[in-house]
Amino acid sequence: MRSSRGRWVIALACLVSLGGCATSTRLADLLHPAADDAATSALAQASPTADPDTTGSIGAGASAAADAGLPGNPGDDLKFGQEQYRAGNFDLAERYFGRAAEANPRDPEAWVGLAAVYDRQRRFDLADRAYDQVLAIVGPTAELLNNRGYSYLLRGDYPRARATLLAAAARDPKNPYIKNNLALLDKSSRSRKAAQ
């Protein structure tokens, strides 16, 4: 179990490092819904000072080759899922992440990818199942709690978002992703109250 957690942490660190590459998209892109989504627009308007690079906590790269029907190696499926996610091809990303999770059901990266895709597709019941799988594999890490808290924020479930993000902050108080999500939550809450 310890080696699985270590592998996940190392893999997550590698994914996070991609965020600084000139060829990769911002880290937050893996968790934010499409720009034309009304909820995203409301969140963006409620948080004009939030740094979009520090609201998500995982990322991936883009490639046109991913749709070419390449071999079904679980590592390739994970890589292609990440690439398709970044390219905004959520149906393809779901397929690749699903194949990776099926081939290796204990791979937290595949499940986190599926959860992020489901969040983007607003299929929150499936996102919850994927987050539960990651939780069973690695436990309540700060990164997982942050991602799940952001998922609740997307749904407008501010009480659960707050509780989950505060639990993430308790595990990693200096994490900028968690801090920005808490700030985004506060601004979204105030904005919602003002509208009512």
Side-chain angles (χ1 to χ4, degrees):
M1 182 67 167
R2 186 174 272 300
S3 67
S4 175
R5 281 187 185 176
R7 184 176 147 252
W8 185 76
V9 169
I10 290 169
L12 185 61
C14 290
L15 288 173
V16 169
S17 71
L18 288 175
C21 296
T23 59
S24 66
T25 308
R26 294 187 305 226
L27 297 173
D29 292 344
L30 192 53
L31 292 178
H32 290 285
D36 60 350
D37 185 340
T40 302
S41 299
L43 287 175
Q45 290 170 0
S47 180
T49 61
D51 178 5
D53 284 333
T54 56
T55 53
S57 64
I58 55 179
S63 167
D67 193 30
L70 296 172
N73 177 333
D76 290 343
D77 287 336
L78 183 61
K79 175 184 156 195
F80 296 138
Q82 293 164 342
E83 291 172 349
Q84 290 305 309
Y85 185 94
R86 279 250 172 112
N89 300 322
F90 302 119
D91 292 338
L92 283 174
E94 177 186 1
R95 180 173 61 182
Y96 286 119
F97 284 132
R99 286 185 0 188
E102 186 177 316
N104 186 0
R106 305 269 317 146
D107 185 350
E109 290 177 86
W111 290 107
V112 166
L114 273 172
V117 166
Y118 293 142
D119 279 341
R120 291 293 295 255
Q121 295 172 332
R122 305 196 67 73
R123 296 166 63 192
F124 297 122
D125 57 328
L126 295 176
D128 285 340
R129 290 182 194 171
Y131 285 124
D132 289 344
Q133 289 293 327
V134 179
L135 183 64
I137 297 167
V138 299
T141 65
E143 293 84 3
L144 173 61
L145 292 170
N146 177 59
N147 291 355
R148 196 166 209 176
Y150 187 77
S151 179
Y152 292 140
L153 179 61
L154 291 176
R155 305 171 201 196
D157 188 344
Y158 298 148
R160 279 203 302 182
R162 182 170 308 288
T164 306
L165 290 170
L166 288 174
R171 291 183 179 277
D172 188 359
K174 295 182 180 181
N175 185 308
Y177 305 113
I178 298 167
K179 286 180 179 181
N180 280 350
N181 281 339
L182 282 167
L184 181 60
L185 173 64
D186 288 340
K187 290 177 183 177
S188 297
S189 281
R190 283 193 302 264
S191 182
R192 184 177 186 182
K193 287 178 186 173
Q196 293 173 351

